[in-house]
Amino acid sequence: MSNFKHHIEVHNLSTWFGKKAILKDISCYFEDNTVTAIMGPSGCGKSTLLRTLNRLNDLVPNFRREGEVVFRGENIYDMGYSVYDLRKHIGMVFQRPNPFPMSIRENITYGPKLHGVKDEDELEKIVETSLKKAALWDEVQDDLDKPAPNLSGGQQQRLCIARALSINPPVLLADEPVSALDPISAAKIEELIVELKKDYTIILVTHNVQQAFRVSDQAAFLYLGELVEFEKTKRIIEAPADERTEAFITGRIG
Amino acid sequence: MSSRVGALFVYFRTVTQSRRHFFDFLFKFLLAIVILIVISPFFLVLIQVASIGFQQVFGSGPGQGLEFFTTFPGVGLAGGVRNAFVGTVELVVLAGGVGIPLSVFGAVYITEYTQAGWTRAIVEFTSDVLAGIPSIVFGAFGFAFLVDFLHLGMGIIAGSLTLAFMMIPTVLRTTQEALRAVPMSLREASLALGATKWSTTWNVTLRAAFPGLITGVLLAIGRVMGETAPLIFTAGNNLSVPTSLTGSGSWVASMPYTIWAYISDPREYLQAKAHGTALALMIMVLTIDVVANLVSRKVTRRLV
Ligand SMILES: Nc1ncnc2c1ncn2[C@@H]1O[C@H](COP(=O)(O)OP(=O)(O)O)[C@@H](O)[C@H]1O
Ligand SMILES: [Mg+2]
C-alpha cells in the first residue's frame, strides 16, 4: 500500500449548491478505527460534508466543489477516479431506514452481487456475518426470505447497517442514523457503532452532543459551513475553545 | 332480528321528534338516493347485457357455452365468436408488446435520466393531451397515417399499432407516477453501495415501482380491449383468424367490433351473440380491473 496516513483526508474543501455557499474551506482528517462525530446545528452542512466523502452530492445537478478529498492517497474528485470503486470502500447509513423492497436476504446480497460475488455459499456466509455484525441475526435468522419493509424501524436501520457492511468497506459513513428511531433502538445502534469501530473507520453525523460524547473519539464542530473546532471529543465538550462551540454544547444554539 | 327492529323503531322515534334530527335524516336519505343513481348504470347495463347474453356465454345450445369461444361464426345459430375473441387477444398482446416497453422505457428515461425542464414538460403535456383525445381520433389517425400514408393497409398490424398509440400516454404517465413515488433515498442506498445508475434503476427503482407500474399497464390494457373506434378503420374484420401480416389475410376481428356489427343487425340471433360477446368482454375487463386493484392495494401496504 502507498504511503498515506489516514483513510480519508479533506483539504480546503468548499462546496456550493447553485450560488449558495455551504461548506467553507474545510480541512480535516478521519483517523482509522475510531469514531469521528460531525456535530453542529441543523442546516450547517453536516450531511453535505458527509455526502461529499462518497461523492453522493454529484447527483445534485447544481453542486459545485473546490478542494480535495483524499482517500488512501488519491483525490477522489480526480478525473478518471472510479466513483463505483470509491463507494465500494466507503459504506453509508442514512438518516431514515431505507431497506430495498426485497427480502432481508436480498437486501444483504445486493451489494456483494454488484461487485461480482456469485457463489451461493459465499453469499450465504456474507448474509450471516453481516447480520451478526449488525446485531440483527438472532432476530431475523428464521425470516430471511420475508420482506424487509415489514421489520420494525430499529430492525430496518440495523438491516441497513448490515447492508452497508455486506461489502466490507473500511470506512462507514452514518448520517444521524438514530434520529428517526425510538430511544431503545437508538441505544442499541449506538452500542453497535462503538462495537464496529474495532474494524471500521466510522464518521458519524449527529446534532446530539450527548451522543457524540458517548460514542465518538474525535469531533468536528461545524457552524454555518465553517469548521469551528476539530479535536478529541472529550476536549471539545469539556473545554470548548470557541464560544460558538460552547453555545452549541450548552444548548443555546441548535 | 327483533332487537334490530327495536333499534330501527327507536331510530325513527328520534328522527321524528326534533327538527334537527329530521333534517339530518333527510340529508342522509337524499345522499343515499344520489349514490343509488350514480351506481345504477353499472347494474342496469350488467342486467341488460346479461339477460340476453348469459345464455350465449353459459348456455349449452349450438354455438353457446364453451363453443361460443371455440368455434368460428357458422350458419344461423351455429358457431361462436372465436374470431373476435382470438382477434382481441392478438390485438391486445401485440399492442401491449409494442406500447408497454416504449412507454415504460420512455418514462424511465424522462423521469430518471433527465432534469426537470422543457423536454420533460413537453413530454408530460403531450401525454396528458393524448390521453384525453377521443378514441375515434386515434382511429382516424391510424387510418390516415398507418393504413394510408405508410401503406400498411388495414389489418392486425395497423390495428394493434393504433391501440398501442392509445396505450402509450396512459402507461407512460402512470409509470412516471410510480417512479416518482419511489423515495430518493432508495436510489441513494443503491448508489452508495457502488451500483451504477442503470443497475439502480433496473434493480431497485423499477422494482419498487413495479406494483404501481403493473396497475397502470393493466388499466390501459382493460381500456383498449373495449375500444371499437380505433379499430373500425384500421383492423378490418374477419370471420376467421388472420393468416398473414399484410394484405387482406391480415384483417382481424375483435370483440368490440363484433358487438357493434352484430347489434345493428336485424337478425335476433346475431343480436343475442352481440350481447354474449359484450358480456364476455365485460367480464374480461372487470377481471383485469379487479386484479389491478388488488395489486395496487397490496402495494400500498408493502411500501413504506
Ligand atoms: N440538494 C440540495 N440542493 C440545494 N440545497 C441543499 C441541498 N441539500 C442541502 N442543501 C442546503 O445546504 C445546507 C446544508 O444542508 P445539510 O448539509 O443537509 O445540513 P445538516 O445536515 O447539517 O442539517 C442547507 O441550507 C440546505 O438547505
Ligand atoms: Mg443532515
Side-chain angles (χ1 to χ4, degrees), chain B residues 17-91:
Chain B
Q17 254 164 21
S18 88
R19 260 173 73 104
R20 285 169 67 185
H21 275 113
F22 179 71
F23 277 114
D24 190 45
F25 168 77
L26 195 69
F27 200 58
K28 251 193 213 165
F29 183 72
L30 286 177
L31 283 179
I33 289 186
V34 169
I35 285 300
L36 217 65
I37 295 173
V38 168
I39 63 170
S40 57
F42 171 76
F43 292 101
L44 290 178
V45 168
L46 194 65
I47 291 167
Q48 197 268 335
V49 170
S51 64
I52 309 175
F54 190 84
Q55 192 59 30
Q56 300 292 320
V57 180
F58 298 101
S60 53
Q64 293 181 347
L66 207 57
E67 254 180 57
F68 189 65
F69 299 100
T70 55
T71 57
F72 291 114
V75 189
L77 289 182
V81 292
R82 177 170 170 183
N83 58 333
F85 181 65
V86 173
T88 279
V89 171
E90 286 180 351
L91 281 166

Side-chain angles (χ1 to χ4, degrees), chain A residues 84 102 110 113-114, chain B residues 113 190-191 194-207:
Chain A
Y84 308 118
M102 311 171 183
Y110 181 82
K113 278 183 180 166
L114 276 179
Chain B
Y113 285 84
S190 168
L191 293 169
T196 58
K197 172 108 184 181
W198 169 244
S199 164
T200 300
T201 305
W202 185 249
N203 294 310
V204 175
T205 318
L206 269 176
R207 184 154 174 177

